[in-house]
Amino acid sequence: MWDDAFPSFLIGLREGLEAGLIVSILVATLVRAEARSRLPQVWTGVLAAIAVAMSFGAVLTFTAASMPQTAQEAFGGTLSVIAVAFVTAMVFWMRRSARNLSSELKQKVTGALAMGSGMLVLTSFLAVGREGLETALFLWTTAQAAGESAGPLTGAAIGLVLAAGLCWGLYRRVLKINLTKFFTATGVVLIVIAAGVLGYGLRDLQEGGVLPGRTAYAVDLAGSIDAGSWYSTLVQGVFNLMPTMTWLQVVAYVGYLVVVMTLFVRGVRATAPKPKPKPEPAERPAAEAPTGPRPRTGRRPAWVIPTAVVAVPAVIAGLAVALGRPKPAGDQTVAVSETDCGKGFTAPAPGRQTFRMHNTGRQASEVYLVDPSTNAVYGEIEGLAPGTTRDLVATVAGGTYAWRCVPASGRAVTSKPVTVRGGGAAKPVTPVSEQDLAGPLKAYKAYVGHGLDTLVGQTGTLRRDIEGGHLDKARTDWLTAHRTYASLGAAYGTFEDFDKKIDGRADGLPGGEHDKDFTGFLRLEYGLWHGQSAKELTGPARQLDTDAAGLRKAFPSQDFDPGDLPLRAHEILENTLQFELTGDTDEGSGTNLATADANLTGTRELLTVLEPLLTSRSPRLLPTVDADIDRVRKLLDAAHDGDHWTPVEKLPAAGRQRLDGATGQLLEDLAPVPDLLEIRKSA
């Protein structure tokens, strides 16, 4: 967690020390002027500044949480860039002002004493408020980068507590710190951290579609760096440097670092030779500073103003959060049934809305918010049971909308359309029909048919190897044939019982590997790599060849559900991660990674036939997935030399983590495919 905590610790320490020094100077000035009765006014201003900063942080957090994912990324990226600007300005301001901060504040306090209590509250509020807002903004951006980690808040809390202790020691004259050197050193480190935050913010803007170049990678070290290692985690957390960075990120990072660091170092050198000013006397006579008018009593209770300065920002923040969250669209409860779909639906306002869907019928139903002219889907609920109510959240813009209720049995029912006036943008999912998938299905069936032709020839060769006693050659030909079969992954559900015969595992069989029902590739693998004779393996080899030929003959007439294509895009590699990359299906050959590589080939072929449908619905998905596949393939290529593959259990721990992580990222990026290409009933 320290890698996420360090940047926030540093900002908490530095900003806390700045604010603490300001408060210490304000308090010391009043004490020396014998105006202790005015101290509550200083603390009231400080309290108001803290309340505003915390309220600002709450608004950022809860407002962003209610946005769509792309809007969150654009919002977070924008605020990251703003935070970098604030931190940069703060670093340069403190470099210039550290020497004269005390005298400037004392002059302001002296003037405020003469002008009344309100000015003293305002002076302390403005002096501390800037640090508070900067801290809230910077902490929010670092917390966004850390995801669910508690590191940023923990680091900031430690930094603020330490800063408070240092300020108390300085006020009591227990500690002596060269503040100029302190702010210079921390300024250098903050500039480096801010460069990383800038790169992270620009990446968010690319992910949110605000800036181009999302897949234009300048650096892609995911295949050679373990993202989960301690050193990688430390670099990512502290400096926001990722194994994969776009050209925009790299150029911005280097450009910011070179320009800002050069200006900062030059400024430090320019101010360094100045002689130290003579220290001021420890105490000033009371007469030297005007005490100002004494505060009047009897006007209001002492707790009123402090309570107000805390309550007002909190109330405003609460209103901002409440107004920024999605609300039920006009307090609508929309009825769902087999005969009366959409009762109670009226035109909502543009924006992100929540609809309460109540099933008044007798059947479970699918519910879709659609554009009736195109059937584009803006939101959906699957399996809404009778008598139940669930929320459906969707973003609506100017256009025409209707509800479509699809009961478990019977025809779909579509409500009367309503028209929404106004602007905004909403991204519906264009529905897919069986007819849309007919072309990809035909192309993929042709690919599988060709693969089965090849497989039958290879299993015949394998059978002849074993019959002739050429077991060394059989081991090589076994891997060739098994990889061919593994590359047909999207059709496994269609192969029916043939898949269990050809590539079934021994798990669950009473006799395990020695069970009579254990057949196919894994049975031969066990025998070939456990010293069984050609005589013992001839029967299983002939059975595999027979089953492969039977599958080739049966496949053209087998029922291949077109809905399996988008589902298998994710499931092939899900099984790879579960079985091949754990070594669970290794029966002695140590070639699980070769099987994983064949599964990757099958996935790419499947995405190729689905490309027209995916590109029209999510243009950015396939470039991202292609980059992920290339990353996994590089890691697999590094694990074999010719026909020799490194067994999974012999991979270095870091290499295995990299491979698992890259495959997991690929699975995450493939996850939207089934939803994008789901066959939805439209009539």
Side-chain angles (χ1 to χ4, degrees):
M1 187 174 65
W2 175 243
D3 50 284
D4 289 329
F6 177 72
S8 297
F9 164 77
L10 185 62
I11 198 70
L13 175 62
R14 183 184 171 105
E15 294 279 14
L17 191 55
E18 283 186 30
L21 285 173
I22 291 170
V23 173
S24 299
I25 294 168
L26 293 175
V27 171
T29 303
L30 290 176
V31 169
R32 292 171 185 172
E34 296 185 357
R36 291 176 180 270
S37 61
R38 309 291 291 275
L39 288 177
Q41 296 164 15
V42 171
W43 294 118
T44 298
V46 171
L47 197 62
I50 294 173
V52 169
M54 294 182 68
S55 300
F56 178 58
V59 170
L60 291 180
T61 301
F62 292 106
T63 301
S66 67
M67 296 179 178
Q69 184 62 34
T70 54
Q72 287 186 37
E73 290 164 347
F75 182 68
T78 301
L79 288 183
S80 294
V81 175
I82 294 173
V84 170
F86 273 127
V87 170
T88 306
M90 175 266 289
V91 166
F92 281 91
W93 175 79
M94 204 59 192
R95 188 204 69 197
R96 293 192 306 268
S97 305
R99 296 174 179 273
N100 303 317
L101 184 63
S102 178
S103 59
E104 290 178 3
L105 282 172
K106 287 175 182 177
Q107 291 175 5
K108 291 181 179 179
V109 171
T110 301
L113 281 170
M115 297 177 68
S117 60
M119 282 304 299
L120 192 54
V121 172
L122 182 62
T123 299
S124 58
F125 171 79
L126 293 176
V128 179
R130 194 187 77 159
E131 275 70 26
L133 291 175
E134 286 176 353
T135 304
L137 182 57
F138 196 83
L139 288 183
W140 187 85
T141 57
T142 54
Q144 288 291 108
E148 297 181 359
S149 171
L153 295 181
T154 303
I158 295 173
L160 290 170
V161 169
L162 180 58
L166 291 174
C167 288
W168 181 86
L170 291 171
Y171 175 75
R172 303 295 297 176
R173 302 188 180 182
V174 175
L175 298 176
K176 291 185 178 179
I177 298 177
N178 187 324
L179 294 176
T180 301
K181 289 184 178 180
F182 172 82
F183 286 118
T184 299
T186 55
V188 169
V189 179
L190 275 178
I191 289 171
V192 176
I193 292 174
V197 173
L198 177 62
Y200 169 81
L202 293 176
R203 179 59 176 170
D204 266 359
L205 290 173
Q206 289 179 311
E207 294 285 350
V210 177
L211 295 177
R214 181 172 179 258
T215 58
Y217 296 116
V219 178
D220 188 359
L221 303 178
S224 55
I225 292 180
D226 178 13
S229 64
W230 68 267
Y231 55 86
S232 179
T233 304
L234 184 65
V235 171
Q236 291 179 54
V238 174
F239 303 111
N240 273 304
L241 288 175
M242 304 300 171
T244 303
M245 296 181 69
T246 64
W247 279 106
L248 179 61
Q249 286 180 278
V250 172
V251 170
Y253 183 92
V254 174
Y256 174 89
L257 202 58
V258 170
V259 173
V260 176
M261 190 68 78
T262 301
L263 294 174
F264 183 79
V265 171
R266 284 180 179 175
V268 170
R269 290 175 177 173
T271 57
K274 291 184 180 180
K276 291 184 179 180
K278 216 171 182 181
E280 297 180 4
E283 297 290 339
R284 291 174 181 259
E288 289 186 18
T291 60
R294 295 278 180 180
R296 289 176 286 179
T297 59
R299 296 183 60 187
R300 64 176 69 88
W303 53 267
V304 171
I305 294 180
T307 302
V309 299
V310 174
V312 170
V315 169
I316 294 174
L319 290 173
V321 170
L323 294 174
R325 287 192 169 193
K327 304 173 188 61
D331 294 325
Q332 294 182 40
T333 297
V334 182
V336 176
S337 75
E338 306 91 306
T339 58
D340 192 8
C341 180
K343 184 178 180 180
F345 179 47
T346 58
R352 192 167 171 81
Q353 305 290 357
T354 301
F355 302 91
R356 291 192 295 272
M357 311 306 299
H358 179 62
N359 191 340
T360 60
R362 297 182 179 180
Q363 296 186 46
S365 182
E366 311 292 311
V367 185
Y368 304 107
L369 178 63
V370 302
D371 179 343
S373 62
T374 64
N375 291 322
V377 178
Y378 290 88
E380 63 184 296
I381 293 178
E382 296 183 357
L384 182 62
T388 60
T389 301
R390 284 162 60 185
D391 286 347
L392 186 152
V393 180
T395 299
V396 299
T400 305
Y401 298 85
W403 291 103
R404 179 161 294 140
C405 305
V406 186
S409 61
R411 294 179 58 82
V413 181
T414 303
S415 72
K416 292 182 179 180
V418 301
T419 300
V420 175
R421 310 284 182 189
K427 293 183 178 180
V429 174
T430 304
V432 174
S433 66
E434 289 192 16
Q435 185 61 36
D436 293 326
L437 285 169
L441 180 61
K442 181 179 179 181
Y444 192 76
K445 288 180 73 172
Y447 164 76
V448 173
H450 178 72
L452 290 176
D453 289 340
T454 303
L455 177 68
V456 170
Q458 292 170 343
T459 56
T461 300
L462 176 60
R463 172 181 56 79
R464 290 189 292 273
D465 291 340
I466 293 176
E467 289 175 341
H470 308 299
L471 297 188
D472 286 339
K473 186 173 184 300
R475 293 184 184 95
T476 300
D477 290 338
W478 173 89
L479 180 58
T480 301
H482 191 231
R483 281 168 58 84
T484 296
Y485 184 78
S487 68
L488 310 178
Y492 288 170
T494 305
F495 290 165
E496 299 173 349
D497 292 338
F498 283 103
D499 182 51
K500 185 178 291 186
K501 295 176 183 178
I502 293 173
D503 206 32
R505 297 186 296 158
D507 297 3
L509 296 177
E513 282 86 356
H514 303 285
D515 196 283
K516 62 181 179 59
D517 292 327
F518 183 36
T519 61
F521 279 111
L522 299 189
R523 167 66 182 90
L524 284 175
E525 179 186 6
Y526 179 80
L528 286 169
W529 275 271
H530 284 83
Q532 291 187 346
S533 66
K535 183 178 179 180
E536 292 174 288
L537 294 175
T538 296
R542 289 174 176 171
Q543 182 65 49
L544 174 61
D545 192 26
T546 299
D547 291 335
L551 174 59
R552 179 184 63 174
K553 182 178 179 180
F555 177 70
S557 61
Q558 287 178 329
D559 183 21
F560 200 140
D561 185 351
D564 282 351
L565 288 180
L567 285 174
R568 293 299 295 171
H570 183 268
E571 289 177 355
I572 295 173
L573 291 176
E574 196 172 60
N575 291 338
T576 302
L577 190 62
Q578 181 180 359
F579 299 117
E580 274 71 44
L581 297 188
T582 60
D584 190 58
T585 53
D586 184 12
E587 292 290 353
S589 68
T591 59
N592 271 165
L593 295 183
T595 305
D597 185 67
N599 290 340
L600 201 63
T601 298
T603 300
R604 190 183 281 280
E605 179 64 30
L606 178 57
L607 293 173
T608 298
V609 301
L610 293 174
E611 181 176 359
L613 294 176
L614 288 172
T615 301
S616 64
R617 286 161 176 80
S618 182
R620 299 176 186 171
L621 189 147
L622 281 181
T624 301
V625 168
D626 285 342
D628 291 340
I629 290 177
D630 290 341
R631 208 169 293 137
V632 176
R633 176 137 285 158
K634 286 179 183 178
L635 293 171
L636 292 172
D637 287 344
H640 77 98
D641 181 13
D643 293 332
H644 174 72
W645 289 80
T646 303
V648 171
E649 66 274 9
K650 292 186 178 180
L651 283 174
R656 191 167 178 176
Q657 289 174 357
R658 284 196 294 270
L659 181 56
D660 288 346
T663 306
Q665 182 61 55
L666 173 55
L667 279 170
E668 183 178 333
D669 290 333
L670 281 172
V673 173
D675 287 336
L676 288 171
L677 302 185
E678 179 184 354
I679 298 175
R680 293 175 170 90
K681 189 174 179 181
S682 60

